[in-house]
Amino acid sequence: MSAVLRGTGAAPGSAVGRLVAARVGAPAARPDPVPPTDIPAALDTVARHMDDLAGALRTRGRAAEADIVEFAALIARDRELRDGAARQLAAGLAPIDALAEAVREFADVVAGFDDELLAERAVDVRDIGRQAEALLRGEDPTGGAPPGGAPAVLVGEELAAMDLLRGARPAAAVSERGGPTGDLAIVARSLGIPLVLGIPVAALAELAEDLILVDGEAGTVEANAGAGVRTIPAPRRVPGGGAGQAITRDGRRIRVRANVATVTDALAAGEAGSEGVGLLRTELPFLTEESGWPDEERHVAMLTPVLAAVPPGLVVVRTLDFTGDKRPPFLRDRRITLPGPDALTAQLRGVMRAASDTGVEVALLLPMVDHPRRIKHVRGLLADACASLGLLPPPLGAMVELPQVLNQVDDLAEHADFLSLGTNDLTSRLLGLSRDDPRLTPASAADPRVLDAIAQTIRAGHAHGRAVSLCGDAAADPAVLPHLVRLGCDAVSVAPTALAGVRAAVRSY
């Protein structure tokens, strides 16, 4: 075996610990074990565990992670999954085999959805199935602890985001399958857990008794028996990455801002010296909505605490984006997942009220814009909403993330106040890769087809005097950032943990 196993780094940082296999259970010590034939009871137990975990996460201010877990609870309660298990039981399969077959069929259906982001939730389906199967066997679905009190390096063939959220936080994680833009990687980066993808579990077997070093930036795993054990990954010190403006060597300023969704994110952005917020995701608190689109008061209540915690500077607030896997229960069977006029007006009023109450300067950003007429329509709604509140309308921008809008990007730049490139979706669609495909990494945005789209957007924006930004992990990738600087990108927006590194890189160009 090579001294160093090489995969794909998906969340930066490094940590030392011992391997712990996810969902390989020890005998469970629970007073009321699930009867071995009761599949619905096992799924109910998994759903309750997910509810409890989501509640604990939300109490700690981690709303984005709580939303992911709550969506998993909905999967555990899904009628189609349960009916599939009942059909397999009726066909004569043993309970564990019936559950496994039902999970396989349901996951295959989800993985086959045309919507690539929704198809990624097949990982969560299989995770729910593994937890329920462990309960049927009388095992602990969360796995054991590493020997000797060492920190855990969580390893599995297909880790799910929930594996990082339930139980004690691992020092690092290694997953054989998964992509750098999937939920697992997003949550790992949010929590500061180093993550490496693409290393087969079998290749790690010889390291089972050793302390190992996981480097989530280099994408490597290696034996490290002599190293000191760290229970928390040490932050990387980035020379030249201190707070302040990021100015290139030829004197051009590029604004470096944070992506946030929660109060915790907003506070972290401030601590890291962010120049305001480049993308505030508003849909995450509403992913468990059952009754319908949130009203104005709900928007005010959810957004005000986040705006109160943001660092000084402009805050770009994206309107509700329930596309892909971000689909609440009330939209599960609908194709249109962007708000209509009434629902959008409620959010526009809510955003402006929250901004007025907190004294924060905001701009509005529309996701999934497929035609310039959407900007024209929403501008009218925004003007009316602001007039009714006695406020001046803020800037209104458009996300460029659908390839079809590139043919009209000049017209779009004329009618929008600014443009923001959403490279996760744009890269996925231009390259024809699923968001969960291991080949789709932040560095994929350096593909000539994507760079041409970025350049086309920047040219159109600048021709009309519009600033063009890029929000997403690609902006922090060393294979992509130099191109953004060269092409004239005005601002980038990244995770709070990446701010120092991006500032330092910009200053070196």
Side-chain angles (χ1 to χ4, degrees):
M1 184 190 71
S2 170
V4 179
L5 299 175
R6 299 190 180 277
T8 300
S14 60
V16 173
R18 283 195 172 91
L19 293 176
V20 173
R23 294 177 297 272
V24 176
R30 59 174 58 85
D32 299 311
V34 175
T37 59
D38 198 342
I39 293 174
L43 291 171
D44 287 342
T45 299
V46 172
R48 287 195 299 273
H49 288 171
M50 294 296 98
D51 290 340
D52 292 343
L53 174 57
L57 289 167
R58 206 170 288 284
T59 298
R60 298 200 298 269
R62 305 211 67 93
E65 291 85 354
D67 292 330
I68 292 173
V69 176
E70 286 170 350
F71 193 93
L74 294 176
I75 293 174
R77 294 187 171 98
D78 193 280
R79 178 51 54 192
E80 184 175 344
L81 174 60
R82 292 166 181 246
D83 289 347
R87 287 194 299 271
Q88 298 299 333
L89 283 172
L93 290 184
I96 289 177
D97 294 333
L99 173 63
E101 183 63 19
V103 167
R104 184 193 64 77
E105 290 181 350
F106 191 44
D108 286 348
V109 169
V110 173
F113 287 157
D114 290 336
D115 188 318
E116 294 173 353
L117 294 179
L118 188 59
E120 293 175 12
R121 303 317 292 248
V123 175
D124 297 329
V125 175
R126 289 188 284 268
D127 178 69
I128 292 298
R130 284 187 284 261
Q131 292 184 66
E133 180 179 336
L135 289 170
L136 290 175
R137 295 182 186 278
E139 298 171 348
D140 179 359
T142 63
V153 174
L154 197 64
V155 60
E157 290 184 0
E158 186 181 52
L159 295 182
M162 278 82 72
D163 291 315
L164 305 184
L165 296 171
R166 57 184 168 232
R169 182 178 300 182
V174 182
S175 182
E176 183 171 335
R177 296 197 295 272
T181 63
D183 276 344
L184 172 67
I186 291 171
V187 169
R189 289 190 289 268
S190 173
L191 297 178
I193 298 174
L195 172 66
V196 174
L197 303 173
I199 295 180
V201 171
L204 296 166
E206 295 182 31
L207 300 178
E209 302 301 321
D210 298 328
L211 286 174
I212 63 169
L213 171 65
V214 177
D215 189 324
E217 188 165 323
T220 58
V221 175
E222 60 183 304
N224 196 53
V229 176
R230 287 170 284 165
T231 58
I232 300 176
R236 293 179 180 268
R237 298 289 181 182
V238 181
Q245 297 180 356
I247 300 175
T248 63
R249 289 181 175 179
D250 61 1
R252 187 162 63 88
R253 180 183 177 188
I254 296 178
R255 286 173 169 79
V256 180
R257 297 169 174 150
N259 298 329
V260 309
T262 66
V263 171
T264 302
D265 294 338
L267 293 172
E271 292 173 359
S274 180
E275 297 186 70
V277 170
L279 178 65
L280 198 163
R281 301 180 176 96
T282 60
E283 64 276 354
L284 297 185
F286 303 114
L287 289 183
T288 57
E289 287 290 325
E290 298 275 358
S291 57
W293 294 96
D295 62 18
E296 180 179 332
E297 297 303 325
R298 290 271 283 148
H299 283 296
V300 173
M302 291 296 183
L303 190 57
T304 298
V306 181
L307 289 181
V310 297
L314 179 70
V315 175
V316 179
V317 180
R318 186 176 66 187
T319 58
L320 292 172
D321 179 13
F322 284 142
T323 54
D325 61 343
K326 299 174 295 183
R327 191 170 306 209
F330 78 92
L331 287 176
R332 183 178 300 173
D333 299 321
R334 303 184 193 178
R335 294 186 61 84
I336 299 176
T337 53
L338 293 174
D342 292 343
L344 184 54
T345 294
Q347 180 170 29
L348 296 176
R349 284 179 55 87
V351 171
M352 296 310 301
R353 284 176 54 193
S356 178
D357 291 345
T358 56
V360 172
E361 179 189 4
V362 299
L364 272 295
L365 179 62
L366 295 183
M368 293 292 169
V369 176
D370 58 357
H371 196 281
R373 61 173 171 262
R374 177 159 174 78
I375 284 285
K376 303 173 190 177
H377 173 65
V378 174
R379 191 177 296 283
L381 297 178
L382 180 59
D384 291 343
C386 290
S388 67
L389 295 169
L391 300 171
L392 293 176
L396 178 65
M399 287 200 75
V400 178
E401 53 190 335
L402 299 176
Q404 61 264 37
V405 84
L406 293 171
N407 295 328
Q408 306 163 87
V409 72
D410 186 73
D411 192 20
L412 184 65
E414 180 181 355
H415 291 91
D417 295 319
F418 63 96
L419 299 177
S420 182
L421 286 148
T423 49
N424 282 347
D425 281 303
L426 186 63
T427 304
S428 169
R429 293 166 190 264
L430 285 174
L431 303 187
L433 297 173
S434 163
R435 285 280 299 271
D436 200 35
D437 192 313
R439 294 172 295 173
L440 184 68
T441 69
S444 299
D447 184 282
R449 290 166 287 182
V450 183
L451 291 178
D452 285 347
I454 293 173
Q456 181 183 353
T457 302
I458 292 174
R459 285 195 302 269
H462 289 179
H464 291 276
R466 313 305 191 203
V468 181
S469 64
L470 187 146
C471 57
D473 296 320
D477 193 282
V480 180
L481 185 57
H483 293 290
L484 301 181
V485 175
R486 172 179 59 84
L487 293 172
C489 194
D490 301 292
V492 295
S493 183
V494 297
T497 54
L499 287 168
V502 171
R503 277 194 298 266
V506 168
R507 292 165 182 164
S508 71
Y509 298 140

